[in-house]
Amino acid sequence: MLSVNDIYTYYGAIAALQGVTFEVPRGSVVALVGANGAGKSTTLNTISGLVSPRKGTITFEGRDVTGWRADRVTALGLVQVPEGRQILAPLSVEENLLLGAYTRRDSEIEQDLENIYKLFPRLEERRNQIAGSLSGGEQQMLAIGRALMARPKLLMLDEPSLGLAPLIVQEVFRVIGELKEQGATILLVEQNARKALQVADYAYVLEGGRIVQQGLASELRSDPRIVEAYLGRRA
Amino acid sequence: MEQLPQQLINGIWQGAALALFAMGYTLVFGVLDIINLAHGATYMWGAFFAFVCITRLDWPLWAAIPAAMIGAGLLAVVLDRLAFKPLRTLTSGGLVLWVGFIVLLLGLIGAWSPGLKWTLTLSGAAIMLGGIVQDYAAIRPLRVRHVPHLAPMISSIGASIILISLAQGIFGAQVSRFPPDIFPSKPYTLPGNAVIAPIQLLVLGIALALMVVLHLLIARTQMGRAIRGIAWSERTARLLGINVDLVVAQTFFLSGALAGAAGVLLGLAFNRLDPFMGNEVELAGLTVIIVGGMGSIGGAAVAAFLVGMLRVLSVGYIDSSFRDAFVFALLILVLLVRPSGIFGRGSSVRA
Ligand SMILES: Nc1ncnc2c1ncn2[C@@H]1O[C@H](COP(=O)(O)OP(=O)(O)OP(=O)(O)O)[C@@H](O)[C@H]1O
Ligand SMILES: [Mg+2]
């Protein structure tokens, strides 16, 4: 469904990505794991069109979307939940959700809003509250809910568990699991490799702007090198 | 010296018109963080658009006012494309737009034969339209630019000078007046011996109606939410699928249409138009948006009545030459005591 082919992305003279290649098949959850500064966010931002690759191609549903404007990419159904949630703080919770549906023109937006509230009951309680007043966990729920309002064909999540308490992390992964059950296609970027490999079907390991390893999530979970580098001794 | 009730009435209707001007001014600031110093020139052009509709095309007043708003709104959109947008992103459409603009200017200003003049003017306008369409259709910008903060301000001063010169060239530097019979002139008498002319009532009525409409647009529609979203974070807005350039154009349209409405209404009420009429209101408008809190639409509306009242009272009770002195005293006072404005906190759009 999404294929990223040998992309190189630079910030000035610094190469953040140096030939990244991977695939996200329809209906699968693919994890992209790696340490700080490995280039995970840069990969998502290159796909989303927030930065342009210097080389390489990105194809979504057979269409070359390399270097497209970000709003065009989102309008195609390739929707990113950015790192650090990036909610629109001065707008209310409900207004954030409604803006998530900006690219839609159908009549089922109200109904989807109710579905999001069912998925995240806490957002419903706070629907008229200013989004900036939500807790970190609630903001993450809002960011995911807002992306779902676009009815994405492929959802990209950038470190959804970052900075959240363990209980809230569980909640976030419960939702990701639920979306997977419903057949969603997800590209999940995580530093929490343990959790990511539990929910994913397939995974890629990114290091210094290159894919250094890949495989079925179930196999990587028990791979000694991954255990050593990303999962800690206990695993 | 006139009575207090009369002063208050004058302060209210003039404040309402000033509010229209200031709300458009602060809207663009809230979204883009730029002070559009050509807002006064847009206001002046709004008045002249209505003037042309009424005196040359023989349109009735009720059609001339919306036409002037639309004209001024479109003018503000073109202004954004010419003076501000190229500072944000460089696109091929932007370059085409500039070429068209130069052709258009040559056509308007040059001493050509009538045939050549029209050909140049119209083809310039057509090229500009092509550039704008090309810009909105572009999938990839050529380059995103980061220019110093002062650049848009200077660029808008330039745009303002061009717009004023154009008006001077077309309408002359002298004062133009609407025909005296376009609106009933018999004033109504109010309690306290105050009077209000029908045209002043019209100004107040239209201004209040437009304030309500603007509030609803910003607070309740998807466009309004997108405008506020962009004001907070352009990057996030893009990720939500918002075409930032289009929403910025909508913002400029609203802003220009409000300036245009203020221009026609005050032009009608005082019945005097000239190419420099924007300068004075720009100073008052700047005070209003600073006092109201930069970017706050509600704050601008309230502050406009305050400044309008201050101007009227200083003319009525002290001396007309002190009018702007008091406005500036207020401006400096607010900047010293509460730089974020009386009602403001930050620089994002609030309904
Ligand atoms: N805007 C930027 N300008 C310059 N360099 C950048 C920029 N953004 C990222 N980088 C650099 O690019 C590299 C990859 O960064 P990126 O944010 O993609 O990493 P990441 O894997 O998402 O890390 P993290 O887990 O900390 O989010 C890093 O070396 C980073 O310093
Ligand atoms: Mg990151």
Side-chain angles (χ1 to χ4, degrees), chain A residues 41 83 158-159:
Chain A
S41 298
E83 187 175 82
D158 195 348
E159 303 208 37

Side-chain angles (χ1 to χ4, degrees), chain A residues 77-93:
Chain A
L78 187 46
V79 181
Q80 182 189 164
V81 178
E83 187 175 82
R85 0 262 187 234
Q86 309 302 331
I87 50 128
L88 300 169
L91 277 65
S92 74
V93 167

